[in-house]
Amino acid sequence: SSPTDILYEITNVYTYRPDLLANDLYGSKDLWWVFAQRNMNILKDPIFDFVAGTKIYLPQGNNLQKSLGI
């Protein structure tokens, strides 16, 4: 977690599809797990809890790149 993480409300487009949001935000669908890791207290099931109206924190792309070394 970082103080620069952004509070985001999941929209209908991304319901059950963290891979699509990861692709749109970070350019890789394979980074979907970042949302589950950052929001463990909210996303108990990283797919079926990923529904419209749920508010989660999103790491900013540059912070994620530094953390993961990508």
Side-chain angles (χ1 to χ4, degrees):
S1 92
S2 168
T4 62
D5 290 352
I6 300 163
L7 184 61
Y8 172 79
E9 185 172 329
I10 299 169
T11 62
N12 288 331
V13 173
Y14 299 116
T15 293
Y16 307 131
R17 297 301 306 267
D19 59 325
L20 294 180
L21 182 58
N23 192 63
D24 289 349
L25 290 177
Y26 306 128
S28 174
K29 64 180 176 63
D30 296 330
L31 293 174
W32 66 269
W33 59 269
V34 169
F35 308 129
Q37 184 69 30
R38 173 59 181 90
N39 298 281
M40 288 188 282
N41 58 332
I42 299 166
L43 302 174
K44 302 292 184 191
D45 182 306
I47 304 298
F48 292 108
D49 289 343
F50 209 87
V51 295
T54 303
K55 293 182 181 179
I56 61 172
Y57 286 97
L58 304 176
Q60 290 192 18
N62 57 347
N63 289 343
L64 184 62
Q65 290 173 346
K66 287 178 192 173
S67 295
L68 298 178
I70 55 175

